[in-house]
């Protein structure tokens, strides 16, 4: 898209546009189609496109996705994995959550070990990977500078996650990191889930079951340290620790 040209009228360019577009999406395909055009956060739009225009040497010559990244996986998943945001040279490059970087390598290898993924690697959007009874998503859909979305950006992006959860209706959410934990609790409260006060505290292995205020639905949140290299390279999060959380998710739904 020419950044100097006005966007088409159906492209979300404000928080109010995002609210309307997300609520109007009748299914996951329609939600992905409109979410991937979003330009409601100027800082994130500028960063995702600047990153694509000047990639590191190892990715030069590749065409970057450089747009919001939709959720990925089983449309009827009982388990969702909630991250933070796309990586600048991972999902922002490949167009698929946790694909093309070492964080994704760590996550999908664990999913493969516990029977949630068809293969242990995730290198590109057309590599044949399929997920079983699990979906991967994030509260922020664009790569942020320094991997740090602002609270306003999280709020603007929230309706995409909210509508995705409404359409999928998972029973367990494995939440990677404290940012995702707080963002998900905010989104759930906005959807009518009963979130205790004070809010449940994030921690690796934390587990809390929420109930919806007006329906019999329940959702169990499982905390897990994020699969960032900062955690996996230092041993703060080991393969065995991640496997245990994913197995607990399977145990809850089964």
């Amino acid at each position: 898209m020419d950044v100097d040209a006005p966007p088409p009228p159906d492209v979300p360019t404000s928080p109010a546009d995002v609210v309307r577009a997300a609520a109007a999406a009748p299914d996951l395909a329609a939600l992905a189609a409109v979410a991937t055009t979003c330009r409601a956060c100027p800082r994130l739009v500028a960063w995702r496109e600047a990153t694509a225009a000047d990639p590191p040497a190892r990715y030069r010559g590749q065409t970057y996705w450089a747009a919001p990244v939709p959720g990925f996986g089983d449309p009827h998943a009982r388990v969702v994995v909630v991250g933070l945001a796309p990586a600048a040279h991972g999902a922002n490059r490949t167009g698929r959550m946790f694909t093309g970087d070492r964080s994704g390598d760590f996550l999908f290898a664990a999913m493969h070990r516990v029977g949630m993924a068809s293969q242990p690697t995730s290198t590109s959007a057309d590599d044949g990977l399929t997920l079983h009874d699990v979906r991967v998503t994030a509260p922020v859909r664009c790569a942020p500078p320094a991997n740090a979305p602002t609270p306003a950006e999280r709020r603007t992006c929230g309706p995409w996650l909210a509508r995705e959860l409404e359409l999928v209706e998972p029973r367990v959410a494995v939440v990677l990191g404290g940012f995702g934990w707080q963002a998900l609790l905010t989104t759930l409260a906005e959807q009518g889930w009963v979130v205790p006060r004070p809010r449940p505290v994030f921690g690796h292995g934390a587990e809390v079951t929420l109930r919806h205020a007006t329906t019999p639905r329940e959702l169990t949140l499982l905390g897990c340290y994020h699969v960032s290299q900062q955690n996996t390279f230092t041993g703060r999060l080991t393969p065995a620790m991640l496997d245990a959380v994913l197995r607990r998710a399977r145990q809850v739904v089964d």
Side-chain angles (χ1 to χ4, degrees):
M1 178 182 295
D2 182 353
V3 295
D4 295 322
D10 56 343
V11 170
T13 58
S14 71
D17 289 346
V18 173
V19 170
R20 287 192 294 269
D27 52 40
L28 290 171
L31 182 67
V34 67
T36 53
T37 69
C38 185
R39 300 180 69 83
C41 296
R43 188 183 79 117
L44 298 187
V45 171
W47 175 254
R48 78 194 190 202
E49 295 177 358
T51 299
D54 186 25
R58 65 188 182 278
Y59 297 132
R60 281 180 193 154
Q62 295 189 20
T63 300
Y64 272 55
W65 175 258
V69 181
F72 160 65
D74 189 339
H76 306 292
R78 294 180 296 170
V79 178
V80 293
V81 175
V82 181
L84 190 160
H89 303 291
N92 187 54
R93 175 173 59 89
T94 64
R96 193 171 72 187
M97 288 288 182
F98 282 105
T99 296
D101 59 31
R102 291 190 177 182
S103 295
D105 292 343
F106 195 91
L107 175 62
F108 289 114
M111 287 187 177
H112 184 254
R113 288 192 297 270
V114 303
M116 291 179 166
S118 63
Q119 60 192 45
T121 58
S122 180
T123 56
S124 66
D126 59 357
D127 61 8
L129 173 67
T130 58
L131 302 183
H132 310 303
D133 204 17
V134 64
R135 186 172 181 85
V136 181
T137 188
V140 175
R141 305 303 171 99
C142 291
N147 290 320
T150 67
E153 289 162 351
R154 202 292 310 162
R155 288 192 297 272
T156 297
C157 211
W160 303 128
L161 177 61
R163 185 59 178 150
E164 186 174 12
L165 294 175
E166 287 176 349
L167 292 167
V168 177
E169 294 191 346
R171 290 176 51 196
V172 172
V174 174
V175 190
L176 304 178
F179 180 95
W181 182 269
Q182 291 302 325
L184 180 59
L185 286 173
T186 297
T187 293
L188 292 173
E190 292 168 352
Q191 284 185 285
W193 291 82
V194 179
V195 177
R197 291 287 184 181
R199 285 187 172 187
V201 176
F202 171 78
H204 185 83
E207 180 172 337
V208 60
T209 297
L210 305 180
R211 290 171 176 79
H212 197 272
T214 60
T215 73
R217 292 176 58 199
E218 292 187 349
L219 179 66
T220 298
L221 275 57
L222 301 177
C224 179
Y225 291 141
H226 197 278
V227 291
S228 66
Q229 294 181 49
Q230 180 180 358
N231 289 333
T232 61
F233 280 19
T234 61
R236 188 175 190 229
L237 178 65
T238 66
M241 291 167 66
L242 179 53
D243 289 359
V245 174
L246 294 176
R247 289 195 176 100
R248 175 57 183 157
R250 292 286 296 270
Q251 187 178 45
V252 171
V253 299
D254 289 340

